[in-house]
Amino acid sequence: MIKIELSELDAPLKMERNCIARMKDFIEDERWHSERLLVLYGLPETGKDMLAKQILSYYRNSVKCSVYEVEETDTMEDIYQLLERIQEQEKDRVRQIIWFREITRVKDFIRRSACLPDIFATYFRVIIVSGTDSFTFYNAGNDELFDRTTDIHTTYISFTEHCRLLGSKSLDDYIRYGGLLNPSGERVVHDYDSAYQYVDKYIAENIYRSTRSGCRFDRYEPLKGLPLSDLKMFVHGILSLCSGVFAKDKVQALLKKVAEDENRPVHEILDFIEDGFFSGLDAGWSSREVSEEFLAAISVIAGNRKLRLEPYMACCFDEVLRRMDVVSVVRQVNFIFEDGIWKIKRRTYPYHVIQPAVRYWYLQKGREFIEDYRYYNEISEDGRKTISRALGAKIDRLMVAETVLHDVGCILSTVFRKNWLGRDKRFEVFRAEFRKDGCLYGCYDLVVHDWETLSHWGFVINNGFEASSEDDRLFSDRELQEKLQKQFGRCNNVAVLYKGKSSISRFGTVYLNIYDFLSSLESNRDMGKVFKELLEGISKLDK
């Protein structure tokens, strides 16, 4: 182990992460840190060192602080001997903060980590452990460290936190480069090649190491037997499909029709791009009834048709990627018009890639297939430019809408209501899609259902700075409003979330700036207060 001097711990960012308050609570309340560890983990370039440096800088003048860099040759026995020496030197039981960086490098960490909370943390010491092998910490938490850790996962960085830390309110910047923090200011992921390398080195290799680090759980056995090269191919294939499933055959057929008939308008392709060009991968793929088509698609995307992903392996990958906060899911309620009435067909749970930069560049790479088709190059230059712009706009809109949907879901997941069982989550957050005669009829990009008041709020997300007449049309559609009210209670309010300034259009439609909306929701965690605060702000500007 290498002892690091505190003089080297100047925090690279002045602004604090959202989770730093939880770290302070843990350190200052002896009921928390007695017999518990503070576990700080997440993928590389997500601010673990920054958090630890900030917390040690905060306490360095009042509490004795020590930092140790763990090396691959170290064992848990070496760490225990070090703590015993510190314990002998400090006979007055003075409270200390001891931080072990990259503790997952220790090969016997999972099997021999229990003494850290059971013995040493009880001796008035706050022990912080950090590392990049997220799944190793998860396995240890279900083994030696069961119920004896306070976990802080750094991988998820919301849009508002990204803006606060980096001093930018650009949503375009967030979806292209967000989810990663580099002290030097360099963009870790800035194109497909850098995204591919990041997934290779920090996600696939992380899984490879973690599943071989002494885990006792048999359900990960299928991944242990995979060579690293095969595992990398599967991870790339799965993340490609989680980013978006492209309807390649239908696009190819449309391109052929447009290329062979000069009178056929390019707008047929544009309409398809808007409605059905690609969709999110439903989390149901990880069930035991994984389709043969999906397994074959993974192999093709992975670049090896002979490499086969078995159903039980797919289930393992699903659990591992979720536990590592690489992917999450968002909710979607699907309405279909049948027999003269609107019905809920089913609820789906499309995957959401946590780090937007990774997903954005995977989607940009995925769209390139269209340019390889012979018929695409037979379309006029203006037609190709029009299609290219439509593809870019579709990807941007998808990224913005899903970013807002996921961030709102994460914020409101911390709000609870009391019920006869104790307490439950108060809000349900989802996307509502309406289809009629096989075509998209309307869509609310965000619906927040309040179980306590049996009411809801509806939102359309506009990836622009200007108001759109299409937004007014959707909100004036009484048929859709009545169906939502019948299913989710009265409508408290509706609004368009967009990049422009918060305002009210001449038709009475409320337009709210996305950053202002998310910031207010993060502060209030109450939709009623959010609307009141933002509408009052609009009134003041009008005066």
Side-chain angles (χ1 to χ4, degrees):
M1 273 170 292
I2 302 172
K3 186 171 183 178
I4 300 175
E5 298 299 323
L6 293 182
S7 58
E8 302 174 19
L9 296 179
D10 294 329
L13 292 175
K14 295 181 181 179
M15 301 300 292
E16 295 181 346
R17 289 286 305 268
N18 290 345
C19 50
I20 202 126
R22 286 186 60 206
M23 296 181 71
K24 291 178 180 177
D25 289 342
F26 179 89
I27 291 170
E28 293 173 6
D29 191 339
E30 290 186 9
R31 291 174 301 174
W32 280 102
H33 64 69
S34 178
E35 300 184 5
R36 295 181 75 87
L37 295 181
L38 180 62
V39 176
L40 194 60
Y41 65 103
L43 294 177
E45 308 293 352
T46 57
K48 295 182 298 298
D49 284 356
M50 180 192 74
L51 268 173
K53 289 175 182 179
Q54 286 180 339
I55 205 74
L56 292 179
S57 297
Y58 183 82
Y59 285 104
R60 65 197 301 178
N61 295 325
S62 57
V63 178
K64 186 174 182 179
C65 302
S66 303
V67 183
Y68 296 92
E69 175 87 24
V70 178
E71 299 179 287
E72 292 185 359
T73 55
D74 292 324
T75 64
M76 288 306 299
E77 185 63 33
D78 296 328
I79 292 175
Y80 293 152
Q81 288 178 7
L82 170 66
L83 290 171
E84 285 172 354
R85 287 197 299 270
I86 295 173
Q87 189 167 304
E88 290 174 2
Q89 294 168 4
E90 303 290 343
K91 296 182 179 180
D92 295 332
R93 295 169 66 92
V94 178
R95 190 172 65 151
Q96 295 185 43
I97 299 175
I98 302 174
W99 173 28
F100 292 102
R101 294 182 70 231
E102 301 300 338
I103 198 169
T104 51
R105 290 174 179 168
V106 177
K107 290 182 174 58
D108 58 347
F109 172 70
I110 291 180
R111 293 183 178 273
R112 296 200 58 205
S113 53
C115 287
L116 287 175
D118 290 352
I119 298 175
F120 298 106
T122 61
Y123 200 79
F124 288 0
R125 283 173 177 77
V126 177
I127 298 180
I128 303 174
V129 294
S130 66
T132 56
D133 287 356
S134 307
F135 202 58
T136 297
F137 281 118
Y138 171 72
N139 289 332
N142 283 284
D143 200 324
E144 288 281 293
L145 297 178
F146 181 74
D147 201 31
R148 283 170 288 181
T149 64
T150 294
D151 299 336
I152 295 180
H153 206 158
T154 62
T155 300
Y156 169 55
I157 303 170
S158 68
F159 170 54
T160 51
E161 186 171 18
H162 170 90
C163 294
R164 188 167 52 80
L165 292 172
L166 301 181
S168 168
K169 293 185 180 181
S170 171
L171 193 51
D172 292 333
D173 186 72
Y174 177 70
I175 65 174
R176 286 166 173 77
Y177 314 110
L180 301 163
L181 296 172
N182 189 302
S184 65
E186 295 180 6
R187 287 168 173 165
V188 180
V189 171
H190 50 82
D191 57 17
Y192 176 72
D193 288 340
S194 57
Y196 191 95
Q197 291 170 9
Y198 184 87
V199 172
D200 239 18
K201 184 176 181 180
Y202 297 134
I203 297 178
E205 290 185 12
N206 190 323
I207 296 172
Y208 185 80
R209 288 191 302 270
S210 297
T211 53
R212 287 161 173 78
S213 58
C215 175
R216 291 192 176 106
F217 301 111
D218 293 336
R219 64 177 179 271
Y220 306 126
E221 202 65 37
L223 301 186
K224 292 181 183 179
L226 279 177
L228 179 58
S229 58
D230 291 357
L231 191 145
K232 286 181 176 181
M233 288 183 183
F234 282 137
V235 170
H236 284 296
I238 291 169
L239 285 182
S240 293
L241 287 185
C242 287
S243 297
V245 182
F246 292 84
K248 296 184 178 181
D249 293 339
K250 292 183 179 179
V251 173
Q252 189 175 21
L254 283 172
L255 284 171
K256 182 179 180 181
K257 291 178 181 178
V258 173
E260 292 177 344
D261 186 353
E262 294 181 358
N263 297 319
R264 205 176 192 100
V266 175
H267 287 292
E268 285 192 27
I269 298 179
L270 302 184
D271 291 342
F272 181 68
I273 287 174
E274 185 58 34
D275 184 6
F277 177 60
F278 63 80
S279 58
L281 175 67
D282 185 21
W285 74 270
S286 62
S287 66
R288 292 295 172 182
E289 293 84 25
V290 181
S291 70
E292 288 295 322
E293 292 79 9
F294 172 79
L295 298 175
I298 289 290
S299 299
V300 171
I301 292 174
N304 189 340
R305 293 176 183 272
K306 296 180 180 179
L307 192 63
R308 176 174 170 77
L309 178 68
E310 300 293 342
Y312 58 86
M313 291 167 60
C315 298
C316 288
F317 274 116
D318 171 74
E319 180 174 352
V320 169
L321 291 173
R322 289 208 212 190
R323 297 294 184 188
M324 290 173 64
D325 265 7
V326 174
V327 298
S328 178
V329 295
V330 293
R331 298 180 181 182
Q332 179 169 309
V333 178
N334 301 285
F335 293 88
I336 188 169
F337 192 77
E338 284 183 343
D339 303 324
I341 59 172
W342 285 103
K343 303 176 182 177
I344 290 185
K345 183 181 180 183
R346 61 194 174 105
R347 294 173 184 251
T348 53
Y349 299 86
Y351 275 104
H352 173 77
V353 180
I354 297 289
Q355 293 169 310
V358 173
R359 184 183 190 188
Y360 179 82
W361 294 109
Y362 267 80
L363 284 174
Q364 291 295 340
K365 181 66 175 179
R367 61 175 274 192
E368 290 180 4
F369 78 89
I370 197 171
E371 298 171 4
D372 296 332
Y373 288 155
R374 174 168 64 89
Y375 296 108
Y376 178 78
N377 294 310
E378 294 178 8
I379 298 174
S380 67
E381 184 178 352
D382 288 342
R384 292 198 299 271
K385 288 181 178 178
T386 301
I387 291 172
S388 181
R389 284 195 298 269
L391 285 172
K394 175 67 176 177
I395 289 175
D396 286 352
R397 188 183 185 283
L398 170 78
M399 290 290 298
V400 169
E402 206 162 287
T403 291
V404 175
L405 179 61
H406 181 259
D407 283 6
V408 170
C410 289
I411 293 169
L412 294 181
S413 66
T414 61
V415 182
F416 295 89
R417 64 188 175 102
K418 293 181 179 180
N419 59 22
W420 62 280
L421 291 173
R423 68 173 193 168
D424 196 3
K425 290 182 179 180
R426 176 177 172 180
F427 296 102
E428 179 185 12
V429 179
F430 57 90
R431 180 178 187 263
E433 187 176 279
F434 298 83
R435 289 193 170 271
K436 199 173 188 179
D437 300 326
C439 298
L440 183 65
Y441 180 78
C443 173
Y444 280 81
D445 296 302
L446 169 65
V447 177
V448 178
H449 177 216
D450 187 343
W451 285 102
E452 189 166 277
T453 62
L454 298 178
S455 60
H456 75 276
W457 293 263
F459 301 87
V460 170
I461 299 172
N462 181 338
N463 184 39
F465 291 87
E466 304 294 333
S468 168
S469 59
E470 183 64 21
D471 302 328
D472 297 315
R473 183 202 68 77
L474 181 63
F475 288 150
S476 62
D477 192 321
R478 292 187 177 276
E479 191 177 6
L480 300 189
Q481 289 185 4
E482 287 174 2
K483 179 56 188 174
L484 281 176
Q485 290 189 42
K486 183 178 180 180
Q487 195 70 38
F488 302 107
R490 75 174 187 277
C491 179
N492 294 313
N493 220 323
V494 292
V496 177
L497 302 176
Y498 78 139
K499 297 176 182 176
K501 293 182 179 179
S502 298
S503 61
I504 298 177
S505 73
R506 58 192 179 93
F507 298 105
T509 303
V510 177
Y511 283 79
L512 302 177
N513 176 268
I514 292 174
Y515 176 80
D516 292 344
F517 171 77
L518 290 174
S519 296
S520 179
L521 185 63
E522 199 171 64
S523 300
N524 295 297
R525 301 182 187 272
D526 184 302
M527 292 299 299
K529 291 181 179 178
V530 169
F531 268 90
K532 182 180 179 181
E533 180 180 289
L534 296 179
L535 290 177
E536 286 177 354
I538 294 172
S539 299
K540 291 178 181 177
L541 288 175
D542 291 341
K543 293 179 181 179

